[in-house]
Amino acid sequence: MKRLQIDATDITPSVTLDAEKNIFELSGRSVADNPSDVYQPVLQWLNNYARDPRPVTLVSVKLEYFNTASSKALLDMLSALSFIRNAKVLWYYQEDDEDMREAGEEFFELVNVPFEFKTY
Amino acid sequence: MLVYTIDLSREINEGFFYKLKQFGDGRLTVTKRVTEITLELLQNIRSHGNGLTHASLSIIKHESGFTWQSVNGVSSNVVKPLSEKIHHINTLSGAELQQQHKQILANSKHIQAINPGLGLYRIALRSQSKLRASFKPLGSALSTFSLDINLATHS
């Protein structure tokens, strides 16, 4: 399956979705007023990947900031993982950044996907 | 006392985050809350304000924390529902705010766009203070919406 690579900007995250190399990462800032340019291709990629996923899929989410416009896009992305067997979210947050941890917990409660919380 | 007036005509860039980091008090939680509240107010002005003609956004750093003064134009017909929404948010406890924020986010799964009120919930959650809003008519169709937010940083 073709790799999806989206480079970060000051206001949008970097995305690497590479089934061959087993890399599934979203990181940086997600604070654009209209984040669908980033998340639409991600959703499409994940929906295709769900048809023939690896035995285990670990998706790293390491966001510094995200705004409410990105909340729905993130929720849609994380919800799409529930259709991938044995998918798990690795939710990274800076030590002491309890707000980002709580944001991860909120998403965890809204989607049917296991989360692991990790500090960096 | 320090005042940082955001240039609303400029796009958010690395310099914006750098300035807010410098404007914080060195603590990660404070810097992140200052940045998040500013981002939400900016998003509110850009997405729901009526252009930038009547808009402004300033952050005041003082000895007890930070205060935001946000102003933007809104259609006069949203004054009543917006006032009611802010009044409702101000009646909620922290736990209730968290619960309703999650509920609105959950409901957004079934609609195209995010509920415009979600940003106000997030501001209230991050600032842990009441939202102070006022409206002033600018003719029959337009009003200014002023929103003042406090973030106390005593620990």
Side-chain angles (χ1 to χ4, degrees):
Chain A
M1 193 178 165
K2 201 179 166 193
R3 163 185 204 253
L4 177 66
Q5 176 72 53
I6 301 172
D7 293 334
T9 70
D10 290 345
I11 58 168
T12 58
S14 75
V15 178
T16 305
L17 296 172
D18 190 331
E20 198 178 312
K21 292 187 177 164
N22 201 16
I23 301 171
F24 309 91
E25 289 177 353
L26 176 87
S27 68
R29 300 177 188 135
S30 186
V31 299
D33 292 337
N34 183 2
S36 58
D37 289 351
V38 171
Y39 290 94
Q40 204 51 47
V42 169
L43 266 181
Q44 203 172 347
W45 193 95
L46 290 172
N47 290 336
N48 289 333
Y49 173 75
R51 293 181 201 142
D52 184 22
R54 296 178 67 96
V56 174
T57 302
L58 300 177
V59 180
S60 296
V61 179
K62 192 192 257 188
L63 290 171
E64 184 188 8
Y65 292 106
F66 67 91
N67 60 2
T68 50
S70 296
S71 298
K72 178 181 160 45
L74 279 165
L75 181 62
D76 289 344
M77 184 196 87
L78 296 168
S79 298
L81 299 178
S82 65
F83 299 103
I84 298 170
R85 68 167 184 271
N86 295 330
K88 183 179 183 181
V89 175
L90 305 179
W91 184 271
Y92 286 87
Y93 63 100
Q94 280 178 282
E95 211 168 7
D96 297 335
D97 188 359
E98 284 304 309
D99 291 341
M100 189 56 84
R101 183 186 165 100
E102 278 176 20
E105 287 170 345
E106 187 174 55
F107 283 122
F108 169 65
E109 289 171 22
L110 293 174
V111 298
N112 191 23
V113 183
F115 272 50
E116 185 176 333
F117 294 91
K118 292 169 138 343
T119 56
Y120 68 95
Chain B
M1 191 173 83
L2 282 173
V3 180
Y4 175 23
T5 301
I6 309 280
D7 182 350
L8 297 173
S9 67
R10 296 188 66 170
E11 293 300 316
I12 298 171
N13 58 18
E14 191 63 43
F16 168 86
F17 290 96
Y18 178 77
K19 273 191 182 174
L20 286 175
K21 192 175 178 183
Q22 298 301 110
F23 202 67
D25 67 0
R27 288 180 290 175
L28 177 73
T29 306
V30 172
T31 299
K32 295 206 79 168
R33 286 184 177 168
V34 166
T35 305
E36 281 191 30
I37 291 167
T38 307
L39 285 166
E40 290 302 330
L41 289 169
L42 258 177
Q43 186 186 296
N44 177 58
I45 290 171
R46 290 182 174 185
S47 303
H48 309 298
N50 220 309
L52 296 180
T53 310
H54 304 286
S56 64
L57 176 59
S58 299
I59 317 170
I60 301 155
K61 183 181 182 180
H62 44 78
E63 58 185 20
S64 56
F66 297 83
T67 298
W68 285 258
Q69 294 177 336
S70 168
V71 182
N72 60 270
V74 290
S75 298
S76 294
N77 58 11
V78 305
V79 170
K80 189 167 181 278
L82 190 52
S83 301
E84 288 170 354
K85 184 170 282 177
I86 289 169
H87 175 73
H88 172 68
I89 288 171
N90 284 340
T91 63
L92 300 175
S93 67
E96 289 168 331
L97 269 172
Q98 197 100 47
Q99 187 55 37
Q100 291 198 14
H101 181 274
K102 188 168 76 178
Q103 193 56 52
I104 294 170
L105 188 55
N107 292 343
S108 76
K109 274 186 184 178
H110 312 294
I111 55 173
Q112 271 306 97
I114 198 81
N115 184 314
L118 191 65
L120 293 171
Y121 280 84
R122 198 159 183 215
I123 290 167
L125 275 168
R126 293 291 179 259
S127 67
Q128 299 176 341
S129 70
K130 303 295 180 200
L131 311 177
R132 287 179 293 143
S134 60
F135 298 88
K136 200 161 84 179
L138 285 170
S140 56
L142 199 65
S143 295
T144 56
F145 167 41
S146 301
L147 185 60
D148 287 4
I149 311 293
N150 277 325
L151 173 69
T153 55
H154 294 305
S155 54

